[in-house]
Amino acid sequence: MEDNRVIYTEDLTRYFGQQAVVRNLNLAVPRGAVVGLLGLNGAGKTTTLRMLLGMLEPTRGHATVLGKDSRDLTPEDRGRIGFTGEGHFLYDWMSIRDTEKFGRDTFPRWDDRLFQETVDRFGIARLAHVRSLSRGQRAGVSLASTLATAPELLILDDPSLGLDPVSRRALNETLIDFCATRQRSVLLSTHMLDDVERVADRVAIIVDGRLLVNTSLDDLQSRVAIWSVDGTFDPTRAAHVPGLIHSRPLGGRWMLTVADPDAESEAAIARLSATAPQRVNASLEDIVLAYLSRSRAEHSFYAGAN
Amino acid sequence: MWAVLQKELKQTARLLPIGWVIAAIACYLSLPNRQSPVVTMLLPLVGMVSGICAFALGILQAAPDLNASAFAYLHHRAVSRSNIFWAKTGAGAIIYALAFGMPLAATAIWLSAHGLQDYPVRPAQVLPTLEFVVSCFALHSAATLILARRASWPGTRAYPLLGVATAIFMQGVYLKSNGLHGAVFCMPITCCVLAWTLHAARNAWCHLANEPQKVNAFRAGWSVPAYLAVGAVVVMIFIVACIGALVEQRTVASRGYAGADFVDAQTGDVWISYYSRLGEELDLTRTRVVRLARNVDIDTVEPMAGVPPTTKLSPMLPAQHGEGVSFYNSDGFFALDYRSLVYDCRGYVLKYVPIAGGGWRLVSIYDRTGRHSADHLPTAPFARRPNWLWSGRSVFAVDDAIVQEDSDNGKFIKLIDAPPDWVAYAAEETAPTELLIGTGDEVRLYRLSATSNAPAAESAASDVSAASDRELLTAELVRTIRSQHLPKPSVHTAVTRVAMTDVGFTVTGYSYDTQQRFVMRIDNDGNLVEQFEIRNSSSKSATALVMGVLGLMPPVVLEAADLYQMGLAIANGQRPVPLSLVNTGSQAKLTIMAVMLTSVAVAIGITLLLGRRYGLSNRKLAVWVLATCGLGLAGPLALLAIYPAVIIDSCPSCRRPRVVTSNRCDECGADWLAPTQSGIELVDTERRRAASVELIT
Amino acid sequence: MQIQVNTGGNVPLYRQITDQVRQAIAAGQLQVGDAVPSVRQLAKDIVVNPNTVAKAYAELVRDGVLESQQGRGMLVSARKNVYTKAERLRRLDQALDVAISEAITLHFEMDEILQRMQQRLEKVGLSRTS
């Protein structure tokens, strides 16, 4: 059976000093999927991506990328994986033509047309020098260099950081274009929830080095619900609600975000509240924020309640 | 790879002009001039500059790419890491070769244009420097290795530099004075050092460079850990040398040898002068002489205030060995005497005169037969460097005789026809009076006298020759003592001072084996009257202490040094003396042994402790203990450099601490469990995913 | 047919697409037999992941709103199947909820509302079925 996963990791763990930055991560990316990797700064996103690319040795566990252990990626394998790192690194002393030439000479499947298309989309004059580029244009050249290698798998580390709306739009269009055939996969780490909603069909959320969510967007949205309960509710007792992700006060009421709600959790919420709790629809942003807020909550009262 | 090489070349090319300027300045400064007509500074100056440049180039090439994004940008390509390393190093080598090759080539052209006629220089003199510059490129790899391997700077980070820098420094010292032969001899060493550093740096770049923290160096194969172990040994040697120097400075004998020996002409007794040393102050006013005898310890005997009036002391004559001290600053091509005579190591003596305008001009060339014109090299080169015996420079100790130059035709006239092992002479003003010569089993005393038959009138023309130059000497054999006990200069023994007395022959010397000065007296019939080491208890105990410090050295280094000196002795056709380093008396021997055993024991203890902390298996630990027996205190240092500290976390099953890198807990054998589920994990199962896949197709 | 999606809301994008297709059919902008843009084209036009568009189309096909024809792409199949019965009721309730709450805010009585409602319905040509 052909493996349908372009990336999967088994208990991937990485320590820096005494601290586990990534803990027992089991991430799977199916072929054709666009996965938005979400998490706070320092949650372990970049560390995970670096391990996937074989740029960092896992302390424990394995990562398999395009069927290969990430530690043993050959140059040919690297030619099939496109990567754009944080900050869109390019050599400042090169011109765009030099950058293009350097890419063409170091990737076997380089496609000039793809490079041209992307550069055009970002509205960049090809004769320009890298050091004279704006942040958005730099992102364009960087993406163009990556996409022109015609990769099967694209790994992007926070590509929209610091981009203006026009460049972000161009970035999204580029990505949609890239995965139009639905055979090529993307793993995209970002903080832009709007972009994830548009461009991705799956989300993975890392909190404190742990992967808490890895599912399709609509699965996530259908499985997480928010209850609004009145102000007499005692947040310290909320830990007894099964599947509670996060609770936060909102204008005299408490919003409880719950994963996989069932009768039991509904009953538990009802017990906490003086009046009947109201179920409201959750947007992607609500859900992601609830998960990401746990990072901080876990270190305060929530940890004690566990 | 070519694309990366091209990119590296473009990126590094901007450093080339800087390199040129630096190299050109270094070459220019070492060109000869009126004050120093030889180019002995070429290797030290250009070599030092090239070493710094190679290291800086390595840093400048490696550092920018170690930033995580830059590293990923360069390395995430369809190019292997190894090729990227070679491209970087290749580009570095090309830039480095251009930066130093061109100025050196220009220097060689300059030297060949001015060679011999204007200055004692030859273009071949550039070759040892060139070779040294080539081996300095190892510092480029060392820089790469330092940056690729993460460790703290005060800790073990600089280790890769130490090993190679020491090797290069020693090579430089050797190349500096051994000319072309040295260059040829060093060639394999250069190749080995370069190959090893390149290999280690390549492995470090491929396997360690992207790790933001220190990792087990064995991940990069064997070459990097082996390299680090060498670094540890060098650190240890350096530490021991520092401690040794410190101890020596603090404890050295209160009385020092002042450098003059006297002899009582009637009895043949040796008197030496010494000064009192209080701390580091040299108190010349308290310089005294004391009579030496077998049982006299110059540190305990009360110095006699002056010399008894009945004794007539005369100074012993300093003995000059075959290779004269009157030439200095030799680079293996040319050696300069204190004025303008130059020994060309091909076996000629060149005579230069200063000319108006600041330069020099070659006026004549000497070979075994005498003086020749400067037009071409004569045909009978000296077998070894001749000695200039008098400042008048007309008497020479050459290969097999003492000769004097006939100032008229330049021919050498033989005064004494015997190959000298050493020569000593007494002179009054510029006129020689007595000459002692050691040749084979004989020591001969000659009396020299001038035969004033030279035409004195034409002497005014030359500014060098004085009237005494023109006098031909005659040598009259006064006495001969034949003895089989005569000391001969060798790698074991030095003959320092000699004297012929009424009762025989007295000599003081230095034994390299025991590192002690000795006195030997031989009577007129050639019998050994007495031979004893000069006793100096405080310096002996100081030596014992210094030797004790030596015991801290890695035992392998001591053993290697021992093997080296024995090999040297065998190579020189002498009897090898094992453990001569430690052969300085039982006290020193005991100290060094005790210190060595203690230090090895301590080292093993530290190794065991560290090994536990680094989570080494019992088998590896055993190997390390074995290695520590050879490496001494350098063993734990190497361990420290090679392994990172192990990260310990509590086991999720048994709650006891366990090493995070191993999959199974040593205590309870459990796997690492996934962190406890808190019920909020949302992961689509295979079934769910299959359903959604079906849906969208 | 113009499809526009908004991110950041609590309606998933694929539902926004299905809704808008259904509405376009209901409003007559799309007739039976008309082709809708291909997955690829629509994804590109509205800058949405093609898998999301495909999922929306798949749901519409499952519900019988669209059918896939070899060589012609996605076609509008039958108007009656635009919504399920339950969905139709849910949507009617949703619309009525808005109207009713507004009416109550404006202090209308039930009779007035019903009467008004009836007038409006007759005006667009609907009459009682029984």
Side-chain angles (χ1 to χ4, degrees):
Chain A
M1 189 192 91
E2 199 199 334
D3 195 348
N4 198 39
R5 298 168 298 184
V6 288
I7 294 175
Y8 70 94
T9 67
E10 289 170 298
D11 287 331
L12 196 65
T13 304
R14 172 72 205 205
Y15 280 73
F16 283 130
Q18 290 293 324
Q19 205 197 345
V21 173
V22 174
R23 285 185 286 168
N24 292 62
L25 198 80
N26 291 301
L27 174 70
V29 175
R31 186 177 300 277
V34 179
V35 179
L37 184 62
L38 302 167
L40 297 180
N41 293 329
K45 300 192 301 281
T46 300
T47 305
T48 306
L49 297 189
R50 287 182 66 196
M51 283 193 280
L52 291 179
L53 289 163
M55 299 279 170
L56 201 63
E57 187 97 348
T59 304
R60 264 200 326 267
H62 306 275
T64 308
V65 180
L66 295 180
K68 277 282 194 63
D69 191 298
S70 66
R71 281 172 291 200
D72 309 325
L73 292 177
T74 61
E76 291 70 42
D77 297 328
R78 292 194 181 276
R80 291 161 63 202
I81 305 168
F83 173 68
T84 296
E86 224 169 338
H88 296 287
F89 183 87
L90 293 170
Y91 289 122
D92 271 342
W93 51 271
M94 280 188 174
S95 67
I96 294 180
R97 273 185 190 289
D98 291 338
T99 309
E100 189 184 355
K101 182 175 182 312
F102 187 43
R104 191 188 300 127
D105 292 345
T106 47
F107 284 102
R109 299 193 295 176
W110 183 269
D111 185 336
D112 281 332
R113 193 183 49 81
L114 282 173
F115 185 86
Q116 188 59 52
E117 264 176 30
T118 315
V119 165
D120 288 346
R121 208 195 299 272
F122 279 80
I124 305 164
R126 263 178 110 197
L127 292 175
H129 221 272
V130 168
R131 80 170 77 84
S132 66
L133 296 180
S134 71
R135 223 169 168 151
Q137 290 172 324
R138 180 180 274 263
V141 175
S142 161
L143 270 175
S145 310
T146 307
L147 292 177
T149 66
E152 288 168 44
L153 167 65
L154 189 58
I155 297 179
L156 303 175
D157 194 359
D158 212 351
S160 47
L161 181 73
L163 293 197
D164 57 71
V166 177
S167 302
R168 257 177 71 194
R169 176 84 183 187
L171 168 69
N172 288 345
E173 285 173 359
T174 309
L175 289 180
I176 297 296
D177 228 30
F178 172 77
C179 56
T181 59
R182 295 160 63 203
Q183 287 305 308
R184 298 191 281 205
S185 326
V186 182
L187 179 60
L188 162 81
S189 131
T190 184
H191 294 298
M192 299 292 170
L193 297 182
D194 288 354
D195 293 354
V196 167
E197 201 173 349
R198 268 187 192 283
V199 172
D201 60 336
R202 298 179 61 81
V203 276
I205 302 178
I206 296 188
V207 177
D208 291 339
R210 289 182 51 201
L211 186 70
L212 291 186
V213 173
N214 177 27
T215 185
S216 68
L217 259 174
D218 35 83
D219 188 46
L220 177 69
Q221 261 173 304
S222 66
R223 284 168 72 184
V224 176
I226 296 181
W227 269 273
S228 160
V229 299
D230 64 36
T232 56
F233 155 85
D234 175 8
T236 54
R237 287 170 55 206
H240 303 298
V241 178
L244 179 80
I245 302 167
H246 184 62
S247 57
R248 68 186 171 101
L250 180 74
R253 296 180 72 78
W254 280 83
M255 309 299 278
L256 270 66
T257 314
V258 180
D260 280 332
D262 50 16
E264 194 191 337
S265 45
E266 209 163 336
I269 294 167
R271 277 198 299 278
L272 288 173
S273 169
T275 58
Q278 255 182 297
R279 183 173 173 159
V280 293
N281 286 333
S283 69
L284 178 67
E285 189 175 329
D286 293 330
I287 300 169
V288 173
L289 283 180
Y291 272 103
L292 298 190
S293 308
R294 276 182 76 83
S295 171
R296 284 167 192 149
E298 262 188 7
H299 300 295
S300 54
F301 70 88
Y302 204 87
N306 247 339
Chain B
M1 180 170 167
W2 296 117
V4 183
L5 180 73
Q6 245 173 40
K7 170 243 154 195
E8 286 292 330
L9 272 178
K10 270 189 197 167
Q11 206 172 3
T12 326
R14 69 207 148 89
L15 298 172
L16 189 53
I18 304 172
W20 267 327
V21 169
I22 294 173
I25 290 176
C27 285
Y28 177 77
L29 288 179
S30 41
L31 289 182
N33 53 40
R34 180 105 177 220
Q35 277 70 44
S36 57
V38 287
V39 287
T40 46
M41 279 313 284
L42 188 66
L43 189 132
L45 202 59
V46 177
M48 188 184 71
V49 164
S50 74
I52 293 171
C53 283
F55 188 74
L57 186 64
I59 297 276
L60 287 174
Q61 277 194 284
D65 280 320
L66 286 169
N67 159 292
S69 350
F71 188 88
Y73 182 74
L74 179 61
H75 289 78
H76 185 73
R77 295 182 180 270
V79 180
S80 72
R81 271 196 201 181
S82 184
N83 278 350
I84 289 172
F85 171 82
W86 290 121
K88 270 182 168 303
T89 304
I94 291 172
I95 298 296
Y96 181 74
L98 287 175
F100 281 89
M102 290 165 75
L104 276 179
T107 307
I109 292 170
W110 193 97
L111 293 183
S112 78
H114 293 265
L116 288 193
Q117 287 313 312
D118 298 338
Y119 293 106
V121 290
R122 283 207 281 150
Q125 274 176 292
V126 169
L127 290 176
T129 308
L130 189 67
E131 183 177 343
F132 188 66
V133 167
V134 169
S135 54
C136 274
F137 190 70
L139 289 170
H140 181 276
S141 301
T144 311
L145 185 47
I146 285 177
L147 289 188
R149 175 180 163 270
R150 305 302 157 100
S152 71
W153 279 107
T156 62
R157 187 137 199 186
Y159 275 27
L161 181 61
L162 298 175
V164 69
T166 312
I168 288 178
F169 179 77
M170 277 159 45
Q171 192 190 9
V173 169
Y174 186 78
L175 279 175
K176 163 95 173 63
S177 52
N178 283 287
L180 277 181
H181 298 295
V184 172
F185 176 76
C186 279
M187 195 65 85
I189 301 171
T190 301
C191 294
C192 289
V193 168
L194 257 181
W196 190 17
T197 23
L198 281 171
H199 187 252
R202 179 218 164 257
N203 281 4
W205 191 263
C206 289
H207 300 286
L208 311 177
N210 48 5
E211 276 295 333
Q213 54 187 153
K214 194 178 155 192
V215 294
N216 185 341
F218 277 105
R219 193 191 286 173
W222 268 95
S223 61
V224 176
Y227 198 103
L228 293 174
V230 171
V233 168
V234 171
V235 168
M236 208 53 228
I237 292 174
F238 185 72
I239 292 174
V240 170
C242 284
I243 298 178
L246 218 71
V247 168
E248 193 167 27
Q249 203 178 28
R250 293 279 156 224
T251 62
V252 89
S254 57
R255 289 163 188 184
Y257 173 56
D261 298 342
F262 300 91
V263 68
D264 182 334
Q266 271 122 47
T267 62
D269 284 345
V270 179
W271 296 67
I272 72 158
S273 64
Y274 64 88
Y275 51 82
S276 302
R277 229 158 73 153
L278 305 166
E280 288 164 55
E281 297 291 318
L282 180 66
D283 186 0
L284 283 174
T285 59
R286 295 181 60 189
T287 301
R288 296 288 185 270
V289 282
V290 65
R291 193 176 69 91
L292 288 179
R294 177 174 290 278
N295 293 318
V296 172
D297 183 338
I298 61 164
D299 270 316
T300 51
V301 71
E302 195 54 39
M304 285 173 247
V307 186
T310 53
T311 315
K312 185 175 176 290
L313 291 184
S314 48
M316 294 175 76
L317 302 174
Q320 297 184 9
H321 291 189
E323 302 248 312
V325 288
S326 57
F327 287 105
Y328 57 97
N329 250 352
S330 169
D331 63 349
F333 291 91
F334 297 99
L336 184 67
D337 91 335
Y338 59 95
R339 278 179 67 190
S340 54
L341 278 176
V342 173
Y343 180 64
D344 183 323
C345 294
R346 286 172 292 186
Y348 306 101
V349 170
L350 315 174
K351 185 173 182 177
Y352 283 84
V353 291
I355 55 167
W360 295 81
R361 201 179 67 242
L362 179 67
V363 289
S364 48
I365 302 177
Y366 290 89
D367 71 354
R368 224 166 40 214
T369 58
R371 192 179 65 208
H372 300 270
S373 82
D375 302 337
H376 52 83
L377 288 174
T379 49
F382 295 108
R384 60 182 189 183
R385 195 185 299 169
N387 255 327
W388 263 239
L389 296 186
W390 280 278
S391 56
R393 272 179 253 104
S394 59
V395 178
F396 309 79
V398 300
D399 303 340
D400 55 357
I402 309 292
V403 298
Q404 188 185 18
E405 178 194 347
D406 184 337
S407 56
D408 292 336
N409 55 18
K411 287 266 182 288
F412 281 152
I413 300 163
K414 273 187 183 165
L415 282 178
I416 299 163
D417 190 3
D421 289 334
W422 50 261
V423 182
Y425 60 88
E428 280 166 13
E429 303 282 315
T430 57
T433 53
E434 271 187 348
L435 191 134
L436 262 174
I437 175 172
T439 166
D441 282 348
E442 287 180 359
V443 55
R444 300 181 194 164
L445 175 68
Y446 288 91
R447 181 158 298 121
L448 300 176
S449 52
T451 54
S452 35
N453 58 352
E458 48 187 282
S459 63
S462 167
D463 56 334
V464 184
S465 57
S468 58
D469 258 2
R470 311 220 143 250
E471 294 175 336
L472 287 179
L473 299 170
T474 48
E476 175 198 349
L477 181 62
V478 183
R479 278 171 71 194
T480 303
I481 296 177
R482 187 184 297 269
S483 168
Q484 64 202 34
H485 303 291
L486 284 178
K488 284 191 196 59
S490 72
V491 288
H492 293 285
T493 315
V495 176
T496 322
R497 278 162 196 274
V498 291
M500 199 71 107
T501 62
D502 298 348
V503 293
F505 176 64
T506 305
V507 58
T508 62
Y510 184 78
S511 162
Y512 293 113
D513 294 340
T514 61
Q515 298 183 338
Q516 292 291 320
R517 301 182 59 235
F518 66 85
V519 174
M520 186 189 279
R521 287 169 57 189
I522 289 164
D523 67 16
N524 284 325
D525 303 325
N527 301 315
L528 187 65
V529 177
E530 61 175 350
Q531 178 180 17
F532 57 88
E533 287 182 355
I534 297 174
R535 289 187 59 182
N536 183 336
S537 59
S538 65
S539 101
K540 207 159 199 174
S541 61
T543 314
L545 248 166
V546 175
M547 283 287 140
V549 174
L550 220 55
L552 295 173
M553 280 275 191
V556 281
V557 173
L558 288 180
E559 195 43 53
D562 202 40
L563 286 178
Y564 174 75
Q565 66 87 16
M566 274 162 67
L568 210 63
I570 291 168
N572 284 303
Q574 280 143 353
R575 184 176 51 90
V577 183
L579 283 178
S580 69
L581 249 179
V582 203
N583 206 8
T584 52
S586 55
Q587 192 187 355
K589 205 179 282 185
L590 219 67
T591 326
I592 195 169
M593 280 319 207
V595 171
M596 187 186 285
L597 287 178
T598 320
S599 74
V600 166
V602 169
I604 288 177
I606 301 174
T607 298
L608 287 172
L609 230 85
L610 282 177
R612 287 258 168 271
R613 223 187 95 201
Y614 290 169
L616 297 187
S617 67
N618 284 338
R619 215 174 62 86
K620 276 187 187 160
L621 209 54
V623 172
W624 270 104
V625 166
L626 218 69
T628 305
C629 291
L631 294 174
L633 289 170
L637 274 185
L639 198 69
L640 214 59
I642 289 169
Y643 294 98
V646 162
I647 307 164
I648 306 283
D649 210 345
S650 73
C651 175
S653 299
C654 64
R655 295 277 154 210
R656 276 175 293 201
R658 64 184 270 193
V659 180
V660 295
T661 42
S662 68
N663 280 325
R664 295 205 163 274
C665 177
D666 288 338
E667 305 285 345
C668 65
D671 265 352
W672 287 93
L673 305 174
T676 45
Q677 300 282 312
S678 44
I680 60 163
E681 288 78 8
L682 289 183
V683 178
D684 53 352
T685 57
E686 285 296 330
R687 196 170 46 75
R688 233 181 234 271
R689 193 180 301 140
S692 75
V693 166
E694 186 195 342
L695 194 68
I696 59 172
T697 44
Chain C
M1 180 193 64
Q2 188 67 44
I3 291 180
Q4 278 184 320
V5 293
N6 297 308
T7 54
N10 47 24
V11 185
L13 294 194
Y14 87 94
R15 188 160 296 283
Q16 292 184 33
I17 296 170
T18 55
D19 283 354
Q20 287 181 40
V21 172
R22 285 177 209 268
Q23 257 161 20
I25 295 170
Q29 288 165 331
L30 282 176
Q31 301 293 329
V32 174
D34 280 359
V36 292
S38 68
V39 169
R40 202 166 173 161
Q41 188 58 46
L42 185 60
K44 197 170 170 157
D45 290 346
I46 62 176
V47 194
V48 164
N49 184 301
N51 291 337
T52 308
V53 177
K55 184 185 162 77
Y57 278 11
E59 189 179 297
L60 290 171
V61 168
R62 195 189 58 202
D63 291 353
V65 178
L66 299 179
E67 61 188 359
S68 163
Q69 273 196 8
Q70 203 68 42
R72 294 184 61 198
M74 290 287 189
L75 303 182
V76 176
S77 60
R79 195 174 161 176
K80 64 176 170 21
N81 288 327
V82 169
Y83 296 122
T84 59
K85 177 79 175 172
E87 178 63 13
R88 283 167 66 205
L89 278 175
R90 192 187 67 78
R91 287 178 166 264
L92 180 62
D93 288 345
Q94 203 176 0
L96 288 178
D97 282 349
V98 177
I100 290 166
S101 64
E102 186 75 356
I104 292 168
T105 323
L106 296 168
H107 306 294
F108 284 104
E109 296 299 322
M110 185 169 162
D111 288 347
E112 285 175 292
I113 300 168
L114 282 175
Q115 193 188 349
R116 198 76 184 167
M117 186 78 176
Q118 194 170 355
Q119 279 173 9
R120 302 288 296 215
L121 289 173
E122 280 164 1
K123 203 172 166 186
V124 296
L126 280 177
S127 56
R128 286 166 193 269
T129 47
S130 58

